[in-house]
Amino acid sequence: MSKGIKIATIGGGSSYTPELVEGFIKRYESLPIRELWLVDIPEGEEKLNIVGGLAKRMIKEAGLPIKVHLTLDRREALKDADFVTTQFRVGLLEARAKDERIPLKYGVIGQETNGPGGLFKGLRTIPVILDIIKDMEELCPNAWLINFTNPAGMVTEAVLRHSNWRKIVGLCNVPVGIKMGIADQLGVEVERIHVDFAGLNHMVYGLNIYLDGELYTDQYIDHLTSSDGSSGTMRNIADLKWEPDFIKALRAIPCPYHRYYYKTDEMFAEEKKAADTEGTRAEVVKKLEKELFELYKDQALSIKPPQLEQRGGAYYSDAACNLIDSIYNDRKDIQPVNTMNNGAIASIPDESAVEINSVITKDGPKPIAIGDLPVATRGLVQQIKSFERVAAEAAVTGDYQTALLAMTINPLVPSDSVAKEILDEMLVAHKEHLPQFL
Ligand code: G6P
């Protein structure tokens, strides 16, 4: 690809874009990008112009010959692209706030990617991703699709089940966040830590931990369960401490999102309290976004502002740049990504998407087989995988009963009658973004 690389970013007006641009700038030597196309929709045009202006200033400051294009025309951006990154939010933060508030009325967790909120984020997102893939099949059939649009795991599953597109990698920052948390708790550089990740997106476990290449799981669990320090979380998830005996018995590190499943009542109470005071996470983020975009407007700003680390998705975009760099350069390094299982986890179907450590090659991720998940974790993971598959089916078909089935089998929803009440209210609340259900 001596002509230089063309990258198209769908959802280019995102507040995370400056981290993506920073990641491309610092890797320019090994990842010579010629064109970066930032794509958004008319409702996002103002944000696109603000973020795009900062992107151009960052690149000019770095003195790199990367041409930044801002466009509402997705097809123009996709033409002959080498990599397509997707980071969009259908219905914007307003839709997320509904996902977080409505379930609370029924005593159910309201969250961006879990429970009813995760179902509806998937129902809104999957048709759009499949539509983007139709354009890619025509305009850039050899490109890699790097998706970090949530729910990233369900979206990857939907693409593998409901399209012929196979050059997709789903990304998340949770694994890198766990690694950084472990390094921080042990007071060592993150490069000295390795973690065997396996599971699903937002349902991933750290199965073994290594310090300087030596197995360190038991020592870390002792440290984690004896210190009263943080057990590690993201900006968007309350840092409730794990029961020491639970973690010792589990002998694996849950991800921050496991709190919604292993601490459901406490997390619900946290969410209810937040919703009644400072607001749900989406409502808090909306304020943070206003501050970020005020910063981005400043013509004197030509770096990614540190305030962006206040978003839960910090380091997402750097993970994406790292992945693109390793595919482009056939690095064969190990990264945790969402990819087709292919037998890497015995108790998950071969053709399903899993989140797992993979060797990253020019032909994409090669998942590292783990045998199987620990017995104690298998049931929840398989239940979430069933939910993802039925939810994807509902997203593609627009079939009401399939959507009700998905809602009912979700472990955070207590009964079929509550599932029906929540489903009916949310179908009305999100009507404008669910054409498949009209
Ligand atoms: C975490 C998750 C992301 C999620 C983000 C929300 O990083 O890995 O999938 O989108 O948090 O962060 P926010 O700041 O939007 O609540």
Side-chain angles (χ1 to χ4, degrees):
M1 284 186 236
S2 57
K3 65 178 172 45
I5 302 163
K6 177 178 179 178
I7 295 194
T9 292
I10 314 287
S14 162
S15 62
Y16 287 118
T17 297
E19 187 187 297
L20 196 66
V21 174
E22 181 190 66
F24 289 145
I25 288 170
K26 73 182 185 186
R27 293 176 175 82
Y28 185 76
E29 286 313 304
S30 60
L31 194 62
I33 294 168
R34 169 178 45 82
E35 294 178 51
L36 173 61
W37 289 69
L38 301 178
V39 186
D40 221 297
I41 56 176
E43 296 90 318
E45 187 168 17
E46 188 197 357
K47 284 171 52 179
L48 176 65
N49 290 329
I50 294 169
V51 168
L54 173 55
K56 289 177 179 175
R57 294 196 301 276
M58 288 172 72
I59 287 165
K60 186 161 180 277
E61 177 78 13
L64 294 175
I66 302 174
K67 180 97 178 68
V68 177
H69 300 264
L70 311 181
T71 182
L72 304 182
D73 179 349
R74 182 173 86 194
R75 290 177 59 85
E76 180 190 17
L78 289 174
K79 180 132 185 55
D80 301 329
D82 299 294
F83 292 91
V84 178
T85 71
T86 44
Q87 53 178 49
F88 57 87
R89 192 181 297 276
V90 177
L92 306 176
L93 284 166
E94 285 68 23
R96 177 179 170 183
K98 292 176 188 171
D99 290 345
E100 294 171 348
R101 270 198 182 277
I102 293 174
L104 295 179
K105 292 162 54 178
Y106 300 88
V108 172
I109 291 277
Q111 215 276 325
E112 180 195 25
T113 57
N114 290 284
L119 170 59
F120 272 81
K121 184 77 166 66
L123 296 179
R124 296 195 298 273
T125 303
I126 289 164
V128 175
I129 277 277
L130 294 176
D131 201 37
I132 290 169
I133 285 173
K134 283 198 182 70
D135 281 348
M136 289 179 68
E137 284 167 340
E138 180 194 338
L139 299 163
C140 55
N142 298 315
W144 276 96
L145 172 56
I146 313 294
N147 175 65
F148 35 104
T149 302
N150 271 321
M154 188 196 293
V155 165
T156 309
E157 182 74 26
V159 171
L160 296 177
R161 297 257 173 212
H162 300 286
S163 85
N164 296 317
W165 192 271
R166 289 298 170 268
K167 293 180 77 172
I168 177 170
V169 187
L171 258 190
C172 183
N173 66 335
V174 164
V176 70
I178 290 173
K179 259 179 82 172
M180 291 170 78
I182 292 171
D184 188 39
Q185 285 148 12
L186 296 177
V188 300
E189 302 76 44
V190 67
E191 292 73 24
R192 295 176 57 190
I193 299 290
H194 178 76
V195 181
D196 290 338
F197 288 109
L200 307 178
N201 179 242
H202 289 188
M203 182 53 55
V204 72
Y205 294 85
L207 298 179
N208 300 301
I209 292 162
Y210 303 84
L211 173 63
D212 300 332
E214 299 292 318
L215 194 58
Y216 201 74
T217 311
D218 292 334
Q219 296 91 320
Y220 174 69
I221 287 179
D222 282 347
H223 173 90
L224 178 64
T225 52
S226 55
S227 74
D228 57 2
S230 158
S231 51
T233 190
M234 332 288 295
R235 290 279 181 177
N236 57 307
I237 300 176
D239 185 11
L240 303 184
K241 305 287 178 286
W242 295 113
E243 278 302 325
D245 289 333
F246 164 60
I247 293 295
K248 286 176 181 167
L250 184 68
R251 204 187 167 281
I253 307 304
C255 79
Y257 284 92
H258 278 116
R259 287 186 177 86
Y260 292 108
Y261 300 90
Y262 297 136
K263 288 179 169 298
T264 309
D265 291 349
E266 294 154 273
M267 291 301 282
F268 176 80
E270 282 286 321
E271 287 199 334
K272 193 78 182 68
K273 187 174 71 182
D276 296 342
T277 50
E278 73 263 19
T280 70
R281 179 65 188 171
E283 291 157 5
V284 168
V285 164
K286 209 159 161 54
K287 294 189 193 100
L288 183 56
E289 288 265 298
K290 266 174 86 74
E291 290 161 22
L292 280 172
F293 278 96
E294 277 313 302
L295 274 173
Y296 293 175
K297 275 180 194 167
D298 178 358
Q299 295 305 304
L301 181 73
S302 55
I303 56 160
K304 177 197 81 177
Q307 289 86 334
L308 187 50
E309 319 271 305
Q310 296 173 62
R311 288 298 304 276
Y315 314 112
Y316 237 133
S317 311
D318 197 55
C321 298
N322 204 21
L323 173 64
I324 291 170
D325 184 46
S326 290
I327 292 174
Y328 181 75
N329 291 294
D330 194 23
R331 288 200 193 288
K332 299 186 177 59
D333 60 332
I334 294 175
Q335 297 181 34
V337 295
N338 289 263
T339 189
M340 190 181 282
N341 185 33
N342 270 338
I345 302 177
S347 55
I348 299 291
D350 290 352
E351 69 282 4
S352 264
V354 291
E355 186 163 285
I356 191 164
N357 277 6
S358 303
V359 177
I360 307 302
T361 74
K362 65 179 172 23
D363 302 316
K366 308 294 178 198
I368 298 170
I370 62 157
D372 209 343
L373 291 165
V375 170
T377 65
R378 254 171 245 174
L380 176 59
V381 171
Q382 289 178 326
Q383 188 175 5
I384 293 295
K385 182 49 72 181
S386 295
F387 163 70
E388 287 183 351
R389 291 179 62 177
V390 177
E393 184 72 25
V396 167
T397 61
D399 177 73
Y400 175 84
Q401 288 179 351
T402 308
L404 180 60
L405 180 61
M407 183 72 86
T408 305
I409 65 173
N410 186 287
L412 298 179
V413 178
S415 78
D416 56 355
S417 45
V418 171
K420 184 167 173 45
E421 287 181 287
I422 297 174
L423 178 70
D424 291 349
E425 181 168 348
M426 292 182 82
L427 281 174
V428 171
H430 290 299
K431 193 170 178 208
E432 65 176 305
H433 299 299
L434 295 173
Q436 70 273 42
F437 285 92
L438 292 182

